[in-house]
Amino acid sequence: MEFSSKLLERAVNEMSQLPGIGKRTALRLVLHMLRQPKEQTIGLAEALQNMRHEVKFCKSCHNISDVALCEICSNPNRNEEVVCVVEDIRDVMAIENTSSFKGLYHVLGGKISPMDGIGPHDLNIESLVTKVSKGEVKELIFALSSTMEGDTTNFYIFKRIQDFGIITSTIARGISVGDELEYADEITLGRSIVNRIPFESSIKI
Amino acid sequence: MEFSSKLLERAVNEMSQLPGIGKRTALRLVLHMLRQPKEQTIGLAEALQNMRHEVKFCKSCHNISDVALCEICSNPNRNEEVVCVVEDIRDVMAIENTSSFKGLYHVLGGKISPMDGIGPHDLNIESLVTKVSKGEVKELIFALSSTMEGDTTNFYIFKRIQDFGIITSTIARGISVGDELEYADEITLGRSIVNRIPFESSIKI
């Protein structure tokens, strides 16, 4: 791609560094910005700069936060003894939306994935082990994706903390609410039979 | 969507103003930025700011340029008497890539589209009419999209300049090179039969 302007070219090249955005999409976005009022592009640029310079991570759960201890961790109404281990802030937002969890979170910042060069030391695992070793946690809920990497990470953490004698659980895997059985994959269906629950507890929710 | 950080929220909101980028995609992009080195986000923000502040439009053809008269308009080897009318810089880049056009361009900056509130006065049409009225142009090639809006724009410009006695042409519509006839739509196929060309001229390219 040859550009008639170096400024345009640089903007397109920087935009196309983002995941899922190629040169053509980047050019379309940048041309859109040129058609909009100047303030809009300046606003975007400033928001990105401010965020990158000033964003903090909660010192306890590693969630993104504007203050040293995030709103969830500093909320006295939440149960500090139950900690839900998640991959990133999107999972925190998803679980918070359900309003069904009143404990705290621990954000790992990713999953162990040797293929992508991510090992246990690239994630916030040590601070979790320290937290557990101090006896502050009674139950750890693993809420990672149900993939090879998620299972590996669960198992690694489980091995590290199994001697501290706390309860560990993992979110239930089964048929999605509203799904028809005939379209469910066999592994999910198999697991949902093995891990069946008392009918009385299923009608409470 | 509830965010744990105002900085993050503002960045996501600004990103999701871009066309084709919703809140979820914006969040994914912004979280990606937070995982990358700080310099990358700052570089993107600066490139956008610089572009928006300093980008110029060529005073003759209205193409995006870093200087007052763009490289194409200031190139003495190009034929000033043939002007190709296009919608935006992407079309200039596409035609330049074919290396089959040695004239100049005129970038309208859009198409007449009453549905989107874009009239002739929102486009660079007056300067084109002035250019033609001065007798600088011998042939005008319409190279807009083959849509209702493109055809309307072509016709509007044609009406404005038809009394100046210059040649007007439009790029050929027909079956794409490499396409199979049975899959071509009937309008395109019909036009390509009506506008058939001598076989000798088809084997030159």
Side-chain angles (χ1 to χ4, degrees), chain A residues 197-205:
Chain A
I197 51 170
F199 183 68
E200 298 83 44
S201 70
S202 77
I203 50 178
K204 272 187 208 152
I205 305 167

Side-chain angles (χ1 to χ4, degrees), chain B residues 52-106:
Chain B
R52 203 62 186 80
H53 279 304
E54 290 169 33
V55 88
K56 292 180 191 69
F57 293 90
C58 171
K59 63 181 179 183
S60 173
C61 73
H62 305 282
N63 195 3
I64 295 171
S65 168
D66 292 341
V67 284
L69 197 67
C70 78
E71 279 179 28
I72 296 174
C73 289
S74 57
N75 184 344
N77 294 325
R78 306 206 54 138
N79 181 358
E80 308 179 343
E81 298 183 329
V82 182
V83 171
C84 182
V85 180
V86 293
E87 193 185 326
D88 70 14
I89 184 175
R90 281 177 292 183
D91 304 322
V92 174
M93 288 163 71
I95 296 176
E96 282 297 286
N97 271 341
T98 68
S99 310
S100 60
F101 180 65
K102 291 294 161 212
L104 303 185
Y105 294 93
H106 187 91

Side-chain angles (χ1 to χ4, degrees), chain B residues 3-48:
Chain B
F3 292 90
S4 57
S5 156
K6 291 276 168 227
L7 293 162
L8 183 73
E9 184 170 7
R10 206 190 133 205
V12 170
N13 285 342
E14 292 282 349
M15 275 302 265
S16 62
Q17 304 283 318
L18 295 174
I21 296 190
K23 287 263 165 130
R24 270 167 188 271
T25 309
L27 179 59
R28 189 168 55 82
L29 294 177
V30 167
L31 290 179
H32 171 85
M33 287 182 206
L34 284 176
R35 265 182 256 119
Q36 298 297 311
K38 204 175 253 187
E39 294 70 37
Q40 199 165 320
T41 312
I42 308 303
L44 167 63
E46 281 177 357
L48 294 179

